[in-house]
Amino acid sequence: ATGISYTVDGTASGTIANGTTSGSGTIEAFASAVGGAPVQNTGVPVLTTTVAGNPAILTSMGVAVTTTTTSTADSAVARGITIAAADVADLSITNNGTISAGAVNDDAGLAQATGVRIVAETVETNVLTGGGATATTSVTQGGTVTGALVVNSASGVISAVATGGGTVTANGIHVNAAVNSATVTNDGTIFVQANGTGTAAIVNANGILFSAGAPQLSQTSMGAFVTTGGGTTANSANANIVTLTSTGVATINNSGTIIAQEDVDNDGVFEFGNAINTDGAPNAVNINLLGGGTIYGNIEISDDDAITVSDGETSFEGIVNSDMALEGSLVIAPDGALYLRNDLDDDGNPSDPTTYNGPSYVYVDDFSVTNGGTIIYELPVTGDPAIDGPYPQVFANTADITDG
């Protein structure tokens, strides 16, 4: 089920706006695969656009958007807005209202819900001739996302909830490309929840996800014919593919709320999902945590990613690099404050047992607090050292708090 879908062979560009600044727009997509039989999810397609070239402008202002689709028991996929193109450039998506995606699959197949999805890739097909023979080969070519802007405004809500017994994935905003120079800004609310219904369920929730997808390949080395010593011509297509190195830099700005929850056995007790996940991004990502932000869930980064806390206080309940790998950097700027939560009552018990996963931790390669910057630890005082328990901590290869 898809609310708005835009697929083009070339470069995607244009503008999508959901709702006015008062936040009246609604986009909903729901897919269900229940009981091992196909399920028809019927709605009214109020916006249908065929795109043959560039640019394309799609606008949904203050209307409810649903779709007509069929989901099988093997797969239930729901997407609020999806953009798929060879490359994406000069694209603007603004949500002032509500984008909601829900997927339910009670079988062991896929349940995937995504609020906003941008994918840049294409299948390159080559017809090769030589030695009197002809062969066709194809390879998936990763694309570029440049000049793309996704804004979830202060009145915006993006929700993705997936439930199932197999692979269960809920993504708020997902950008997948070989080169990613997009900017994603959240000033509103992103809520993602992945619920498993069986022992075989694999759950994954990502508030904002940047992934690499297929690599970008050299167009001049995607296949050739060779002649063997016996004079036989054989196809060695794809044998000389060269993967290009991404040089893009992407940006994530957050001054809103991100909640990412995972429930492996659907018992109503949640573990941290990934509020922000750039660990698999194709290139460096700058993550700016701005004043007023509230984050529940982990932040997963790689060695070329940088987190900067500025413009006020960010409340963080989760783990930066939950695998404890000391990668990337975190800087608290002169006007920034990072509040590491440990949400316990004075008796040492969790304020909410269904969402408490222990204190917040930070694992990075480089950590610094600049002059005027502040790091805040939530340290409940019970009066009994025996039950004070663990507390928030920062682990780094290099740390500088001399001016903080």
Side-chain angles (χ1 to χ4, degrees), residues 103 109-112 162-170 193-197 201-205:
L110 174 68
Q112 183 187 87
T163 302
T167 300
V168 183
T169 304
Q193 188 179 96
N195 304 297
T197 57
I202 300 172
V203 301
N204 188 251

Side-chain angles (χ1 to χ4, degrees), residues 254 288-292 308-314 331-337:
N254 183 70
N288 300 314
L289 305 183
L290 307 173
T308 302
V309 183
S310 64
D311 265 350
E313 182 181 307
T314 291
V331 175
I332 302 178
D335 58 351

Side-chain angles (χ1 to χ4, degrees), residues 8 14 17 26 34 44 72 78 88 122 138 141 143 151 166 194 210-211 222 228 248 257 315 319 346 356 402:
V8 60
T26 301
V34 180
V44 180
T72 69
V88 177
T122 188
S138 62
Q141 162 85 307
V151 176
F210 286 176
S211 60
M222 296 178 66
T228 65
T257 298
S315 173
I319 302 172
D346 287 342
Y356 181 72
T402 54

Side-chain angles (χ1 to χ4, degrees), residues 73-342:
D74 292 330
S75 179
V77 177
R79 295 165 181 158
I81 296 175
T82 184
I83 308 295
D87 297 290
V88 177
D90 299 322
L91 173 72
S92 176
I93 299 175
T94 301
N95 178 46
N96 297 309
T98 300
I99 298 174
S100 180
V104 176
N105 189 344
D106 72 348
D107 202 357
L110 174 68
Q112 183 187 87
T114 306
V116 177
R117 175 179 176 264
I118 300 173
V119 176
E121 67 179 25
T122 188
V123 177
E124 301 283 351
T125 301
N126 301 294
V127 178
L128 308 173
T129 19
T134 300
T136 300
T137 182
S138 62
V139 64
T140 301
Q141 162 85 307
T144 62
V145 174
T146 57
L149 177 66
V150 181
V151 176
N152 187 42
S153 71
S155 61
V157 176
I158 296 176
S159 172
V161 179
T163 302
T167 300
V168 183
T169 304
N171 298 320
I173 299 172
H174 182 194
V175 180
N176 183 83
V179 178
N180 182 357
S181 298
T183 296
V184 171
T185 297
N186 176 50
D187 297 323
T189 298
I190 297 175
F191 175 81
V192 292
Q193 188 179 96
N195 304 297
T197 57
T199 56
I202 300 172
V203 301
N204 188 251
N206 299 283
I208 300 174
L209 171 65
F210 286 176
S211 60
Q216 191 177 32
L217 308 173
S218 169
Q219 295 282 352
T220 60
S221 61
M222 296 178 66
F225 272 92
V226 295
T227 301
T228 65
T232 303
T233 300
N235 177 19
S236 64
N238 301 339
N240 299 313
I241 289 176
V242 177
T243 300
L244 304 181
T245 301
S246 174
T247 57
V249 178
T251 302
I252 295 173
N253 302 312
N254 183 70
S255 64
T257 298
I258 304 177
I259 299 172
Q261 299 176 331
E262 297 176 356
D263 184 353
V264 178
D265 50 8
N266 205 29
D267 63 353
V269 178
F270 298 98
E271 299 177 3
F272 292 137
N274 298 319
I276 298 173
N277 186 352
T278 62
D279 188 43
N283 44 248
V285 182
N286 294 326
I287 301 171
N288 300 314
L289 305 183
L290 307 173
T294 299
I295 296 174
Y296 176 93
N298 299 327
I299 299 177
E300 305 290 355
I301 61 175
S302 59
D303 56 2
D304 56 357
D305 298 334
I307 302 172
T308 302
V309 183
S310 64
D311 265 350
E313 182 181 307
T314 291
S315 173
F316 176 62
E317 186 173 359
I319 302 172
V320 176
N321 287 333
S322 62
D323 61 357
M324 297 186 288
L326 301 181
E327 296 181 321
S329 65
L330 192 156
V331 175
I332 302 178
D335 58 351
L338 180 61
Y339 180 24
L340 298 180
R341 300 296 311 275
N342 185 25

